[in-house]
């Protein structure tokens, strides 16, 4: 008797949906999976991170809309009108998060050279590859919009409707909020997408990469500036200055606030028109994104093998004269490392974007400080604290930005060259990094800052101010490099969330507290120049403590490393 064995096979997606899932996964894969598998974030991790800000922001608003707290505070207000300022917060939040995700994954919006090598030989029409990539991007756009706004779409309407205490009110506010923030998220998504397609369509291939990097840096700075602007804080507090009405009408985020008020039924005629403009702008962006994507996709996909992966070419390489190189570098190894670092900063798109975006944010804060300095200017022989803080702030953003990008690896497959070139005793990487940072700040501090201060306030004050700025800058560089023990861009990194948060908090503390305090201290010393002697003694003592701390560090914490791994939770004694 013959028995026929039946094997159950689980259904698998067809070729088209396999391509869709491939393009969706690659959006969050590492830039180079063979080099560093620890740097990428999975889709689940990204969704969890994106959902957190809206949830926490909604919970913090419970204090405002709680009926019990309103009764205890003897407060009464219309929840519909009060919700407009808070709704603007969620609009800006959703647009900023989606925009930053799109900007950071700009290179993954279109197939890359690896996709061409894997897919071009297969019997798959380019049309199917195009449709699969577009379906993946559209699906992720909707998924991100839902994820970012899921918590706020339930909690925020619930808190607003507490004082009304009807399900109809909750449902009405929930529909208005969900439609508004989803539309704002899609506007941000398709806005970046349309910009990529337009640049790719109109620019020649040799200009696309440098221009796209500049556009990404501008978008990062614009999104963060909009989120942290004084106008946003005034709107969030419900205080809108009358002279800014012409400016806010040009903000897309304010258009969607008009859409929210229009749906809620509380919009004035001007806000109702802005709500209509939001829908028209969203439809126009979707149309532009689809058209540009369709027109440039085939041409871009077919010329992938011709595209360069770096920003600059290698035909023209600047070489220092031998005599100058011997003066600047202690050894040929230092010269080679410095050349490598400069080329990475000039050619690597990832490093240029992070460093440029960081400096862009600093430039916005410097401009705000300069504006405050102009408003606080008083006749006299001494500059105000805001003016004195400008060079300190510029120097801080330059050195801290370099310190940040030094930890991002460039090409780990090639770091064996540096491993082999290091001979005992191993060089101190702090010396090289310190020299590069000093080159980035000392020239303009000595040859630009000093003449400008001399023209305005005279030589004595210019020399004192420059000396103080240089001293503070050098000390800050020594602090930032206290535990630095790697050649920049050659060390694999496994990022730790606690370390990242500590760096962010330290940067905020330095910009908002330390720099103004140092500027105020410098102004106090300028009244009596002999007080600079006290500053010299204090800095000498601080430098002595830093050197003593580094001397007492364990040899393992000072040794040159090419793998920066977090400390294990427990260690084996290995007694056997």
């Amino acid at each position: 008797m013959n028995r026929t064995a039946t094997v159950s096979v689980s259904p698998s997606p067809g070729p088209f949906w396999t391509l869709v899932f491939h393009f969706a996964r690659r959006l969050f894969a590492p830039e180079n999976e063979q080099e560093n598998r620890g740097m990428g974030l999975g889709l689940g991790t990204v969704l969890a991170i994106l959902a957190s800000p809206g949830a926490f922001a909604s919970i913090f608003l419970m204090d405002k809309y709680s009926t019990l707290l309103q009764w205890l505070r003897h407060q009464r207000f219309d929840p519909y009108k009060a919700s407009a300022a808070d709704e603007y917060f969620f609009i800006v939040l959703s647009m900023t998060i989606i925009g930053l995700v799109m900007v950071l994954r700009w290179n993954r919006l279109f197939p890359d050279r690896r996709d061409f090598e894997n897919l071009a030989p297969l019997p798959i029409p380019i049309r199917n590859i195009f449709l699969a990539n577009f379906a993946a991007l559209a699906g992720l756009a909707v998924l991100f919009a839902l994820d970012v706004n899921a918590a706020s779409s339930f909690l925020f309407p619930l808190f607003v409707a507490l004082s009304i205490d009807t399900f109809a009110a909750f449902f009405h506010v929930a529909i208005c909020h969900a439609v508004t923030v989803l539309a704002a998220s899609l506007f941000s998504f398709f806005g970046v997408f349309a910009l990529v397609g337009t640049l790719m369509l109109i620019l020649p291939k040799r200009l696309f990469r440098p221009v796209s990097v500049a556009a990404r840096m501008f978008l990062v700075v614009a999104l963060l500036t909009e989120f942290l602007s004084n106008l946003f804080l005034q709107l969030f507090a419900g205080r809108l200055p009358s002279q800014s009405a012409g400016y806010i009408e040009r903000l897309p985020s304010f258009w969607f606030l008009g859409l929210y008020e229009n749906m809620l039924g509380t919009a004035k005629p001007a806000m109702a028109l802005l709500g209509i403009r939001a829908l028209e702008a969203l439809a126009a962006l979707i149309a532009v994104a689809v058209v540009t994507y369709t027109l440039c996709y085939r041409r871009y996909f077919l010329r992938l093998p011709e595209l360069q992966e770096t920003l600059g070419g290698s035909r023209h390489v600047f070489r220092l004269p031998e005599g100058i190189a011997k003066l600047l570098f202690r050894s040929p190894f230092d010269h080679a490392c410095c050349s490598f670092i400069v080329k990475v900063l000039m050619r690597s798109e990832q490093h240029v974007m992070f460093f440029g975006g960081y400096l862009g944010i600093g430039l916005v804060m410097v401009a705000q400080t300069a504006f405050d300095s102009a408003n606080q200017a008083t006749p006299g022989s001494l500059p105000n604290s805001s003016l004195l803080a400008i060079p300190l702030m510029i120097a801080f953003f330059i050195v801290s930005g370099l310190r940040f990008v030094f930890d991002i690896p460039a090409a780990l497959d090639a770091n064996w060259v540096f491993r082999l070139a290091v001979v005992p005793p191993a060089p101190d990487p702090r010396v090289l990094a310190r020299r590069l940072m000093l080159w980035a700040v000392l020239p303009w501090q000595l040859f630009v800052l000093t003449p400008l201060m001399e023209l305005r306030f005279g030589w004595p004050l210019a020399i004192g101010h420059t000396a103080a700025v240089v001293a503070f800058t050098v000390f800050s560089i020594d602090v930032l490099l206290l535990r630095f023990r790697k050649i920049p861009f050659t060390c694999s990194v496994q990022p730790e969330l606690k370390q990242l948060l500590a760096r962010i908090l330290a940067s905020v503390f330095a910009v908002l507290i330390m720099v103004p305090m140092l500027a105020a201290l410098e102004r106090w010393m300028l009244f009596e120049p002999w007080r600079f002697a006290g500053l010299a003694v204090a800095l000498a003592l601080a430098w002595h403590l830093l050197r003593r701390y580094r001397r007492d560090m364990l040899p393992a914490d000072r040794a040159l490393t090419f793998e920066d791994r977090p400390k294990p939770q427990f260690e084996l004694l290995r007694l056997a």
Side-chain angles (χ1 to χ4, degrees), residues 479-559:
V479 172
L480 289 172
L481 298 177
L482 185 61
R483 302 184 68 86
F484 188 76
R485 57 191 187 100
K486 65 189 74 170
I487 298 174
F489 313 129
T490 64
C491 182
S492 63
V493 179
Q494 292 185 356
E496 270 190 295
L497 182 59
K498 292 188 295 184
Q499 184 180 11
L500 181 61
L501 291 177
R503 288 190 177 186
I504 294 175
L505 292 177
S507 299
V508 173
F509 175 78
V511 173
L512 298 182
I513 298 178
M514 288 302 300
V515 170
M517 287 180 57
L518 293 176
L521 175 64
E522 182 186 351
R523 191 172 191 274
W524 174 75
M525 291 187 298
L526 289 174
F527 281 103
E528 298 290 342
W530 62 265
R531 295 172 179 171
F532 281 94
L535 174 65
V537 173
L539 288 177
L541 178 61
W543 263 310
H544 173 72
L545 295 177
L546 285 179
R547 295 187 62 182
R548 183 175 179 180
Y549 175 81
R550 183 159 182 85
R551 187 180 66 245
D552 295 339
M553 291 171 58
L554 296 175
D557 293 332
R558 290 181 295 174

Side-chain angles (χ1 to χ4, degrees), residues 144-467:
F144 289 161
L146 292 174
D147 179 69
V148 169
N149 303 295
S152 65
S153 296
F154 174 77
L155 294 176
F156 177 66
L158 179 65
F159 297 152
V160 172
L162 282 176
S163 58
I164 304 176
D165 198 19
T166 61
F167 180 77
F170 164 76
F171 187 76
H172 181 52
V173 177
I175 291 295
C176 298
H177 174 82
V179 171
T180 302
V181 293
L182 288 177
S185 300
L186 294 177
F187 179 90
S188 186
F189 179 92
F190 284 104
V192 177
F193 196 54
L195 179 60
V196 178
T198 303
L199 292 178
M200 193 173 295
L201 192 62
I202 64 177
L203 292 177
K205 60 182 181 181
R206 61 185 178 85
L207 294 179
F208 172 72
R209 296 186 71 85
V211 173
S212 66
V213 171
R216 292 168 73 182
M217 291 188 294
F218 174 78
L219 286 175
V220 170
V221 174
L223 288 169
L224 294 179
T225 302
E226 171 63 21
F227 186 74
L228 301 174
S229 64
N230 290 331
L231 175 62
F232 163 71
L233 296 177
Q234 291 167 338
L235 282 170
F236 186 72
R239 298 187 298 271
L240 181 63
S242 58
Q243 63 270 21
S244 62
Y247 167 71
I248 61 176
E249 289 182 358
R250 297 179 177 86
L251 290 177
S253 54
F254 205 71
W255 302 347
F256 288 95
L257 180 61
L259 176 63
Y260 172 77
E261 292 187 351
N262 201 10
M263 295 181 63
L264 199 63
T266 60
K268 296 180 180 179
M271 292 299 293
L273 292 177
L274 292 180
I276 297 175
R277 183 188 300 179
L279 296 178
E280 294 174 347
L282 177 59
L285 275 182
I286 294 176
V288 172
V290 173
V291 171
T292 56
Y293 187 75
T294 305
L295 292 177
C296 69
Y297 188 92
R298 180 182 180 87
R299 184 182 66 174
Y300 172 81
F301 188 75
L302 291 178
R303 74 181 189 189
L304 273 174
E306 305 173 4
L307 295 180
Q308 293 182 351
E309 297 296 332
T310 57
L311 291 178
S314 57
R315 293 177 299 175
H316 305 285
V317 179
F318 174 75
R319 297 183 183 275
L320 289 173
E322 192 66 24
I324 299 179
K326 289 182 178 180
L327 291 176
L328 296 178
F329 306 103
R330 297 181 178 180
S331 65
F333 180 79
D334 289 349
H335 189 186
C337 290
C338 183
S339 299
F340 168 72
I341 294 169
V342 172
K343 289 178 181 179
V344 170
L345 289 175
M346 295 296 293
R347 298 180 181 178
S348 173
E349 181 175 336
Q350 181 185 17
H351 295 82
V352 170
M353 193 200 72
F354 276 104
F355 187 55
Y358 193 88
L359 292 183
I361 297 172
L363 181 62
V364 172
M365 300 190 68
V366 169
Q368 180 64 37
T369 305
F371 181 76
D372 295 340
S373 172
N375 291 337
Q376 299 171 7
T378 56
S381 59
L382 292 179
N384 54 50
S385 299
S386 297
L387 181 61
L388 296 175
I390 292 176
L392 292 174
M393 193 172 294
I394 296 175
F396 170 78
F397 277 102
I398 291 176
V399 298
S400 59
L402 288 174
R403 179 64 178 87
F404 173 73
V405 297
F406 281 171
D407 287 335
I408 303 176
L412 294 182
D413 286 347
N415 72 356
W416 61 269
V417 177
F418 296 92
R419 291 175 182 260
L420 293 178
V422 174
V423 294
D428 187 357
R430 288 189 316 115
V431 176
L432 183 61
R434 186 174 186 268
R435 190 174 297 141
L436 287 170
M437 290 182 176
L438 290 176
W439 291 347
V441 293
L442 287 185
W444 62 265
Q445 289 178 351
L446 295 176
F447 302 111
V448 177
L449 176 62
T450 305
L452 290 178
M453 295 297 292
E454 190 276 333
L455 290 175
R456 180 77 180 273
F457 302 102
W459 278 113
L461 190 144
I463 294 175
H465 176 58
T466 302

Side-chain angles (χ1 to χ4, degrees), residues 98-136:
I98 298 297
L100 288 177
V101 170
M102 293 295 294
V103 171
L104 293 177
R105 310 311 292 177
W106 179 294
N107 290 337
R108 299 303 179 88
L109 299 182
F110 282 79
D112 55 15
R113 184 177 297 179
R114 181 168 43 186
D115 289 320
F116 180 87
E117 295 173 353
N118 292 330
L119 299 177
L122 299 178
I124 302 175
I126 296 181
R127 180 184 65 256
N128 290 2
I129 300 176
F130 158 74
L131 293 176
N133 193 24
F134 186 80

